[in-house]
Amino acid sequence: MDEIIAYKLKFHTPLHIGAHGVGYEETEEILHSDTLFSALMSLWGSFYDDEIEVLCKSSPFIISSAFPFKGATYFFPRPMIRIGKQSDDDLETGKKLKRVKFISLDLLEKMLNGEGERLRFDEVNTFQEGNFWYLDHSASFSGTDRVFSEREIPRVSIDRMTNSSDIFYFSEILFEEDAGLFFLVRFKDAGVRSKFETTLRFLGDEGIGGDKRVGKGLYSIDIEDGFHISVPPKAEAFLNLSLYYPKEEEFCNGILDGASYNLISRKGWIHAPGAMSLRRKEVRMFAEGSIFHCLEKEVYGETPCVLKREDAPGLKHNIYRYGMAFSLPIVMEQAR
Protein backbone atom coordinates (compact mmCIF):
# COMPACT_ATOMS: atom_id res chain seq x y z
CA MET A 1 0.00 0.00 0.00
CA ASP A 2 1.23 3.52 -0.82
CA GLU A 3 2.53 5.60 2.08
CA ILE A 4 -0.18 7.41 4.00
CA ILE A 5 0.40 10.82 5.57
CA ALA A 6 -1.90 12.23 8.25
CA TYR A 7 -2.59 15.96 8.56
CA LYS A 8 -4.09 17.16 11.83
CA LEU A 9 -6.00 20.45 11.73
CA LYS A 10 -6.01 22.27 15.08
CA PHE A 11 -8.71 24.91 14.91
CA HIS A 12 -8.17 28.22 16.69
CA THR A 13 -11.61 29.63 15.91
CA PRO A 14 -15.10 28.08 15.58
CA LEU A 15 -15.91 26.08 12.45
CA HIS A 16 -19.10 25.93 10.38
CA ILE A 17 -19.40 23.22 7.73
CA GLY A 18 -22.49 23.63 5.58
CA ALA A 19 -25.17 20.94 5.95
CA HIS A 20 -28.61 20.34 4.52
CA GLY A 21 -31.16 22.51 6.22
CA VAL A 22 -32.53 26.03 6.23
CA GLY A 23 -29.88 28.73 6.11
CA TYR A 24 -27.04 28.08 8.55
CA GLU A 25 -29.06 26.21 11.17
CA GLU A 26 -27.12 22.95 10.82
CA THR A 27 -23.43 22.14 10.65
CA GLU A 28 -21.57 18.96 9.73
CA GLU A 29 -19.22 17.21 12.16
CA ILE A 30 -16.73 16.19 9.49
CA LEU A 31 -15.13 17.99 6.57
CA HIS A 32 -16.00 16.07 3.41
CA SER A 33 -13.23 15.33 0.92
CA ASP A 34 -14.86 17.31 -1.90
CA THR A 35 -15.10 20.45 0.27
CA LEU A 36 -11.49 20.13 1.37
CA PHE A 37 -10.27 19.52 -2.18
CA SER A 38 -12.21 22.49 -3.57
CA ALA A 39 -10.84 24.79 -0.87
CA LEU A 40 -7.29 23.71 -1.69
CA MET A 41 -7.75 24.14 -5.44
CA SER A 42 -9.31 27.59 -5.00
CA LEU A 43 -6.17 28.76 -3.21
CA TRP A 44 -3.63 26.70 -5.17
CA GLY A 45 -3.97 28.84 -8.26
CA SER A 46 -3.08 31.95 -6.28
CA PHE A 47 0.44 30.65 -5.60
CA TYR A 48 1.34 28.29 -8.43
CA ASP A 49 1.13 28.30 -12.23
CA ASP A 50 -0.28 24.77 -12.42
CA GLU A 51 -3.36 24.36 -14.61
CA ILE A 52 -6.13 23.99 -12.00
CA GLU A 53 -8.51 22.20 -14.37
CA VAL A 54 -5.84 19.57 -15.04
CA LEU A 55 -5.30 19.07 -11.29
CA CYS A 56 -9.05 18.70 -10.75
CA LYS A 57 -9.50 16.17 -13.56
CA SER A 58 -6.43 14.12 -12.58
CA SER A 59 -5.38 14.90 -9.03
CA PRO A 60 -1.75 14.01 -8.11
CA PHE A 61 -2.95 13.01 -4.64
CA ILE A 62 -5.84 11.10 -3.06
CA ILE A 63 -7.38 12.56 0.11
CA SER A 64 -9.83 11.26 2.67
CA SER A 65 -12.49 13.31 4.38
CA ALA A 66 -11.44 14.95 7.66
CA PHE A 67 -12.54 13.17 10.85
CA PRO A 68 -12.20 13.98 14.57
CA PHE A 69 -9.16 13.33 16.72
CA LYS A 70 -8.65 13.81 20.44
CA GLY A 71 -5.17 13.79 21.90
CA ALA A 72 -3.26 10.98 20.20
CA THR A 73 -6.41 9.04 19.28
CA TYR A 74 -7.74 9.16 15.72
CA PHE A 75 -11.43 8.47 15.12
CA PHE A 76 -12.91 7.14 11.88
CA PRO A 77 -16.49 6.79 10.59
CA ARG A 78 -18.05 3.55 11.74
CA PRO A 79 -17.83 1.00 8.88
CA MET A 80 -21.07 -0.48 7.59
CA ILE A 81 -20.47 -3.99 8.93
CA ARG A 82 -22.08 -6.26 11.51
CA ILE A 83 -20.54 -5.58 14.92
CA GLY A 84 -20.82 -8.05 17.78
CA LYS A 85 -23.39 -10.83 17.89
CA GLN A 86 -24.69 -9.57 21.21
CA SER A 87 -26.46 -6.70 19.44
CA ASP A 88 -28.70 -9.24 17.66
CA ASP A 89 -30.03 -10.52 21.00
CA ASP A 90 -29.87 -7.43 23.19
CA LEU A 91 -32.21 -4.75 21.83
CA GLU A 92 -31.00 -2.11 24.27
CA THR A 93 -27.34 -2.73 23.41
CA GLY A 94 -28.22 -2.57 19.73
CA LYS A 95 -29.85 0.84 20.21
CA LYS A 96 -26.77 2.16 21.99
CA LEU A 97 -24.49 0.77 19.30
CA LYS A 98 -26.48 2.62 16.63
CA ARG A 99 -25.54 5.92 18.29
CA VAL A 100 -21.87 5.32 17.50
CA LYS A 101 -20.66 7.58 14.69
CA PHE A 102 -16.90 7.32 15.16
CA ILE A 103 -14.55 4.53 16.23
CA SER A 104 -10.91 4.64 17.32
CA LEU A 105 -8.11 3.48 15.02
CA ASP A 106 -7.53 0.22 16.93
CA LEU A 107 -11.20 -0.70 16.56
CA LEU A 108 -11.05 0.14 12.87
CA GLU A 109 -8.06 -2.17 12.39
CA LYS A 110 -9.94 -5.07 14.00
CA MET A 111 -12.90 -4.48 11.72
CA LEU A 112 -10.73 -4.24 8.62
CA ASN A 113 -9.20 -7.61 9.49
CA GLY A 114 -12.52 -9.44 9.91
CA GLU A 115 -12.96 -9.24 13.69
CA GLY A 116 -16.07 -7.05 13.69
CA GLU A 117 -18.48 -9.79 14.70
CA ARG A 118 -16.22 -10.85 17.58
CA LEU A 119 -16.11 -7.39 19.12
CA ARG A 120 -18.12 -6.79 22.26
CA PHE A 121 -19.69 -3.37 22.50
CA ASP A 122 -19.60 -1.78 25.97
CA GLU A 123 -21.18 1.60 26.58
CA VAL A 124 -18.49 2.27 29.21
CA ASN A 125 -16.02 2.72 26.36
CA THR A 126 -17.97 5.55 24.75
CA PHE A 127 -18.23 9.27 25.34
CA GLN A 128 -19.97 12.39 24.01
CA GLU A 129 -23.51 10.97 24.11
CA GLY A 130 -22.25 7.60 22.88
CA ASN A 131 -21.03 9.01 19.54
CA PHE A 132 -17.39 7.97 20.07
CA TRP A 133 -16.35 4.35 20.77
CA TYR A 134 -12.83 3.25 21.68
CA LEU A 135 -11.07 0.15 23.02
CA ASP A 136 -10.52 0.25 26.78
CA HIS A 137 -6.73 0.16 26.38
CA SER A 138 -6.48 2.81 23.65
CA ALA A 139 -6.96 5.91 25.81
CA SER A 140 -8.15 7.02 29.23
CA PHE A 141 -11.32 8.81 28.20
CA SER A 142 -14.17 9.48 30.60
CA GLY A 143 -17.89 9.86 30.07
CA THR A 144 -17.58 13.65 30.39
CA ASP A 145 -14.92 13.99 27.67
CA ARG A 146 -15.78 15.79 24.46
CA VAL A 147 -14.12 16.31 21.10
CA PHE A 148 -16.21 19.35 20.27
CA SER A 149 -19.30 21.28 21.29
CA GLU A 150 -21.91 22.80 19.04
CA ARG A 151 -23.57 26.15 19.62
CA GLU A 152 -26.17 28.27 17.86
CA ILE A 153 -25.68 32.01 17.48
CA PRO A 154 -28.73 34.21 16.77
CA ARG A 155 -28.35 36.63 13.87
CA VAL A 156 -30.53 39.21 12.20
CA SER A 157 -31.12 39.64 8.47
CA ILE A 158 -32.49 42.93 7.11
CA ASP A 159 -34.76 43.07 4.06
CA ARG A 160 -33.27 45.64 1.67
CA MET A 161 -36.66 46.67 0.32
CA THR A 162 -38.72 46.96 3.52
CA ASN A 163 -35.99 47.23 6.19
CA SER A 164 -37.86 44.56 8.14
CA SER A 165 -35.73 42.23 10.28
CA ASP A 166 -35.76 38.49 10.68
CA ILE A 167 -33.86 36.35 13.19
CA PHE A 168 -32.02 33.22 12.08
CA TYR A 169 -29.50 30.93 13.78
CA PHE A 170 -25.93 30.10 12.78
CA SER A 171 -24.51 26.80 14.08
CA GLU A 172 -20.80 26.30 14.63
CA ILE A 173 -18.44 23.77 16.20
CA LEU A 174 -15.89 24.56 18.90
CA PHE A 175 -13.15 21.96 19.37
CA GLU A 176 -11.57 21.13 22.70
CA GLU A 177 -7.98 22.26 23.17
CA ASP A 178 -6.56 18.78 22.46
CA ALA A 179 -8.91 17.98 19.57
CA GLY A 180 -9.61 18.83 15.94
CA LEU A 181 -9.98 17.18 12.55
CA PHE A 182 -7.49 15.08 10.59
CA PHE A 183 -7.39 13.69 7.07
CA LEU A 184 -5.20 11.21 5.21
CA VAL A 185 -3.32 11.67 1.92
CA ARG A 186 -1.65 9.37 -0.58
CA PHE A 187 0.59 11.22 -3.02
CA LYS A 188 0.72 9.75 -6.51
CA ASP A 189 3.37 12.35 -7.32
CA ALA A 190 5.73 12.94 -4.37
CA GLY A 191 7.02 16.10 -6.02
CA VAL A 192 3.73 17.90 -5.41
CA ARG A 193 3.80 17.41 -1.64
CA SER A 194 5.59 20.69 -0.85
CA LYS A 195 3.02 22.65 -2.87
CA PHE A 196 0.19 20.76 -1.17
CA GLU A 197 1.48 21.54 2.33
CA THR A 198 2.17 25.18 1.53
CA THR A 199 -1.38 25.60 0.21
CA LEU A 200 -2.81 23.75 3.22
CA ARG A 201 -1.00 26.11 5.60
CA PHE A 202 -2.19 29.20 3.75
CA LEU A 203 -5.72 27.78 3.82
CA GLY A 204 -5.41 27.60 7.60
CA ASP A 205 -4.57 31.31 7.70
CA GLU A 206 -7.47 32.16 5.39
CA GLY A 207 -9.98 29.83 7.03
CA ILE A 208 -12.26 27.09 5.78
CA GLY A 209 -16.03 26.71 5.96
CA GLY A 210 -18.69 29.33 6.54
CA ASP A 211 -17.92 32.83 7.84
CA LYS A 212 -14.20 32.56 7.12
CA ARG A 213 -14.31 36.24 6.11
CA VAL A 214 -14.86 37.13 9.79
CA GLY A 215 -12.18 34.82 11.14
CA LYS A 216 -13.92 31.46 11.44
CA GLY A 217 -12.33 28.14 10.50
CA LEU A 218 -8.70 29.15 11.14
CA TYR A 219 -6.29 26.32 11.91
CA SER A 220 -2.66 25.22 12.17
CA ILE A 221 -1.40 21.79 11.10
CA ASP A 222 0.61 18.91 12.49
CA ILE A 223 1.96 16.27 10.11
CA GLU A 224 2.46 12.55 10.80
CA ASP A 225 4.53 10.82 8.14
CA GLY A 226 4.16 7.10 7.57
CA PHE A 227 0.74 6.87 9.21
CA HIS A 228 0.19 3.15 9.81
CA ILE A 229 -3.07 1.27 9.50
CA SER A 230 -3.00 -2.53 9.88
CA VAL A 231 -4.95 -3.94 6.95
CA PRO A 232 -5.49 -7.52 5.70
CA PRO A 233 -2.86 -8.69 3.17
CA LYS A 234 -5.63 -9.63 0.75
CA ALA A 235 -9.31 -8.74 0.70
CA GLU A 236 -12.25 -8.81 -1.69
CA ALA A 237 -13.65 -5.48 -0.55
CA PHE A 238 -12.55 -1.99 0.38
CA LEU A 239 -13.72 0.53 2.96
CA ASN A 240 -14.08 4.06 1.63
CA LEU A 241 -12.94 7.06 3.72
CA SER A 242 -13.97 9.83 1.31
CA LEU A 243 -16.94 10.79 -0.79
CA TYR A 244 -16.90 8.45 -3.78
CA TYR A 245 -18.26 8.97 -7.31
CA PRO A 246 -17.65 5.73 -9.28
CA LYS A 247 -16.89 5.58 -12.97
CA GLU A 248 -19.50 3.87 -15.15
CA GLU A 249 -17.07 1.02 -15.82
CA GLU A 250 -16.79 0.37 -12.09
CA PHE A 251 -20.54 -0.11 -11.87
CA CYS A 252 -20.47 -2.41 -14.89
CA ASN A 253 -17.62 -4.49 -13.43
CA GLY A 254 -19.47 -5.22 -10.19
CA ILE A 255 -18.39 -2.59 -7.67
CA LEU A 256 -21.78 -2.98 -5.94
CA ASP A 257 -21.64 -6.78 -5.59
CA GLY A 258 -22.29 -7.36 -1.89
CA ALA A 259 -21.76 -3.66 -1.18
CA SER A 260 -22.99 -1.84 1.92
CA TYR A 261 -23.36 1.92 1.55
CA ASN A 262 -25.11 5.20 2.20
CA LEU A 263 -25.73 7.91 -0.39
CA ILE A 264 -25.32 11.65 0.07
CA SER A 265 -26.40 14.52 -2.19
CA ARG A 266 -23.84 17.22 -2.92
CA LYS A 267 -24.85 20.57 -4.34
CA GLY A 268 -24.28 24.24 -3.62
CA TRP A 269 -22.83 27.41 -5.05
CA ILE A 270 -19.48 28.34 -6.52
CA HIS A 271 -17.86 31.70 -5.75
CA ALA A 272 -15.19 32.49 -8.34
CA PRO A 273 -13.56 35.79 -9.38
CA GLY A 274 -15.55 37.25 -12.25
CA ALA A 275 -18.36 34.71 -11.79
CA MET A 276 -19.81 34.96 -8.32
CA SER A 277 -22.62 32.85 -6.83
CA LEU A 278 -23.20 30.21 -9.49
CA ARG A 279 -25.15 27.06 -8.69
CA ARG A 280 -23.38 23.74 -9.28
CA LYS A 281 -25.12 20.64 -10.61
CA GLU A 282 -26.27 18.28 -7.87
CA VAL A 283 -24.61 14.87 -7.76
CA ARG A 284 -25.20 11.79 -5.60
CA MET A 285 -22.13 10.24 -4.02
CA PHE A 286 -21.33 7.32 -1.73
CA ALA A 287 -20.68 8.37 1.86
CA GLU A 288 -17.70 7.67 4.09
CA GLY A 289 -17.80 4.25 5.79
CA SER A 290 -19.33 2.53 2.75
CA ILE A 291 -17.94 -0.83 1.60
CA PHE A 292 -17.52 -2.02 -2.00
CA HIS A 293 -16.32 -5.03 -3.95
CA CYS A 294 -12.68 -4.78 -5.06
CA LEU A 295 -11.94 -4.65 -8.78
CA GLU A 296 -8.17 -5.07 -8.42
CA LYS A 297 -7.56 -1.40 -9.16
CA GLU A 298 -5.27 1.06 -7.41
CA VAL A 299 -7.54 4.08 -7.84
CA TYR A 300 -11.35 4.25 -7.82
CA GLY A 301 -13.73 7.03 -8.78
CA GLU A 302 -13.66 10.16 -10.88
CA THR A 303 -14.18 13.89 -10.59
CA PRO A 304 -17.38 14.86 -12.45
CA CYS A 305 -17.88 18.26 -14.04
CA VAL A 306 -20.68 20.10 -12.20
CA LEU A 307 -20.54 23.44 -14.03
CA LYS A 308 -19.29 24.08 -17.56
CA ARG A 309 -17.41 27.25 -18.42
CA GLU A 310 -19.64 28.01 -21.42
CA ASP A 311 -22.73 27.94 -19.18
CA ALA A 312 -21.41 30.61 -16.82
CA PRO A 313 -20.14 33.93 -18.26
CA GLY A 314 -16.98 35.02 -16.49
CA LEU A 315 -15.98 31.53 -15.36
CA LYS A 316 -12.36 30.76 -16.31
CA HIS A 317 -12.60 26.96 -16.33
CA ASN A 318 -14.99 24.06 -15.77
CA ILE A 319 -15.89 23.30 -12.14
CA TYR A 320 -15.45 19.75 -10.84
CA ARG A 321 -16.62 17.82 -7.77
CA TYR A 322 -13.89 15.66 -6.23
CA GLY A 323 -15.09 12.04 -6.14
CA MET A 324 -12.00 9.84 -5.76
CA ALA A 325 -12.22 6.99 -3.24
CA PHE A 326 -9.71 6.77 -0.39
CA SER A 327 -9.79 3.00 -0.03
CA LEU A 328 -8.64 0.53 2.64
CA PRO A 329 -8.96 -3.26 2.16
CA ILE A 330 -11.52 -4.92 4.43
CA VAL A 331 -12.73 -8.50 4.87
CA MET A 332 -15.96 -8.74 2.86
CA GLU A 333 -18.00 -11.23 4.91
CA GLN A 334 -18.82 -8.61 7.56
CA ALA A 335 -20.71 -6.26 5.23
CA ARG A 336 -24.35 -5.97 6.16
Side-chain angles (χ1 to χ4, degrees):
M1 180 181 294
D2 294 337
E3 181 186 18
I4 296 175
I5 301 169
Y7 293 89
K8 300 172 76 172
L9 312 182
K10 294 187 173 182
F11 288 90
H12 307 301
T13 57
L15 173 68
H16 172 86
I17 308 170
H20 291 296
V22 179
Y24 297 96
E25 295 172 2
E26 297 182 17
T27 181
E28 297 269 17
E29 299 169 347
I30 66 174
L31 187 61
H32 292 294
S33 53
D34 60 343
T35 299
L36 181 58
F37 185 86
S38 294
L40 288 168
M41 289 298 102
S42 294
L43 197 57
W44 194 294
S46 300
F47 299 102
Y48 303 108
D49 294 330
D50 300 311
E51 183 62 49
I52 298 302
E53 187 166 357
V54 174
L55 291 177
C56 291
K57 293 171 66 175
S58 182
S59 174
F61 52 83
I62 303 294
I63 62 173
S64 74
S65 295
F67 311 115
F69 73 85
K70 185 171 178 64
T73 305
Y74 295 89
F75 288 93
F76 292 81
R78 174 184 161 188
M80 297 177 191
I81 63 171
R82 291 185 292 270
I83 299 175
K85 293 183 179 180
Q86 77 277 2
S87 61
D88 297 332
D89 306 318
D90 186 341
L91 182 59
E92 189 61 31
T93 299
K95 289 181 179 178
K96 294 175 180 177
L97 182 56
K98 286 182 179 180
R99 297 178 194 163
V100 174
K101 296 180 180 178
F102 302 102
I103 61 170
S104 58
L105 174 58
D106 43 14
L107 275 169
L108 175 71
E109 291 177 326
K110 288 183 177 295
M111 295 179 189
L112 292 175
N113 287 278
E115 300 179 39
E117 289 194 85
R118 293 197 293 273
L119 290 171
R120 291 192 61 82
F121 174 74
D122 191 339
E123 187 183 14
V124 173
N125 295 332
T126 67
F127 64 94
Q128 194 159 332
E129 292 81 48
N131 289 170
F132 291 82
W133 179 24
Y134 61 95
L135 283 181
D136 55 6
H137 58 74
S138 61
S140 55
F141 297 120
S142 69
T144 58
D145 279 323
R146 300 192 71 82
V147 174
F148 57 80
S149 300
E150 186 176 335
R151 70 181 181 187
E152 288 188 346
I153 300 175
R155 293 186 173 180
V156 177
S157 63
I158 305 296
D159 189 293
R160 294 182 180 181
M161 299 297 293
T162 65
N163 287 327
S164 61
S165 61
D166 188 23
I167 295 177
F168 68 97
Y169 290 88
F170 184 93
S171 293
E172 58 188 19
I173 289 175
L174 294 88
F175 289 95
E176 297 295 313
E177 186 176 352
D178 61 343
L181 297 176
F182 78 96
F183 66 98
L184 306 179
V185 181
R186 292 189 181 112
F187 287 100
K188 295 188 287 183
D189 178 1
V192 81
R193 177 175 173 178
S194 62
K195 292 182 178 181
F196 176 90
E197 293 179 353
T198 297
T199 305
L200 184 63
R201 286 191 172 93
F202 274 109
L203 182 60
D205 294 335
E206 182 182 82
I208 192 169
D211 260 13
K212 64 180 182 180
R213 295 182 183 274
V214 293
K216 302 295 176 70
L218 304 181
Y219 64 80
S220 57
I221 67 171
D222 285 340
I223 303 173
E224 183 176 339
D225 284 284
F227 185 83
H228 179 71
I229 302 178
S230 177
V231 299
K234 188 175 182 180
E236 295 181 353
F238 69 86
L239 169 70
N240 181 47
L241 295 180
S242 62
L243 293 186
Y244 171 37
Y245 189 87
K247 296 180 179 179
E248 184 176 353
E249 65 188 59
E250 293 169 3
F251 281 118
C252 296
N253 291 334
I255 195 79
L256 295 182
D257 292 348
S260 180
Y261 57 84
N262 281 330
L263 289 168
I264 181 172
S265 294
R266 303 297 285 168
K267 54 185 178 180
W269 299 80
I270 178 68
H271 303 281
M276 304 297 286
S277 300
L278 298 170
R279 184 180 291 277
R280 291 175 286 189
K281 181 179 70 175
E282 180 176 0
V283 294
R284 299 270 281 175
M285 307 178 80
F286 291 110
E288 302 88 348
S290 299
I291 297 172
F292 302 94
H293 181 72
C294 281
L295 302 178
E296 298 183 355
K297 295 177 58 177
E298 291 185 1
V299 179
Y300 295 85
E302 63 179 345
T303 303
C305 179
V306 291
L307 183 62
K308 293 184 177 181
R309 180 176 55 185
E310 56 265 29
D311 295 336
L315 195 62
K316 295 181 179 180
H317 57 77
N318 294 337
I319 301 299
Y320 297 86
R321 174 78 72 177
Y322 183 79
M324 307 302 295
F326 193 99
S327 59
L328 295 175
I330 184 171
V331 175
M332 187 76 165
E333 290 76 10
Q334 309 170 98
R336 65 170 187 264

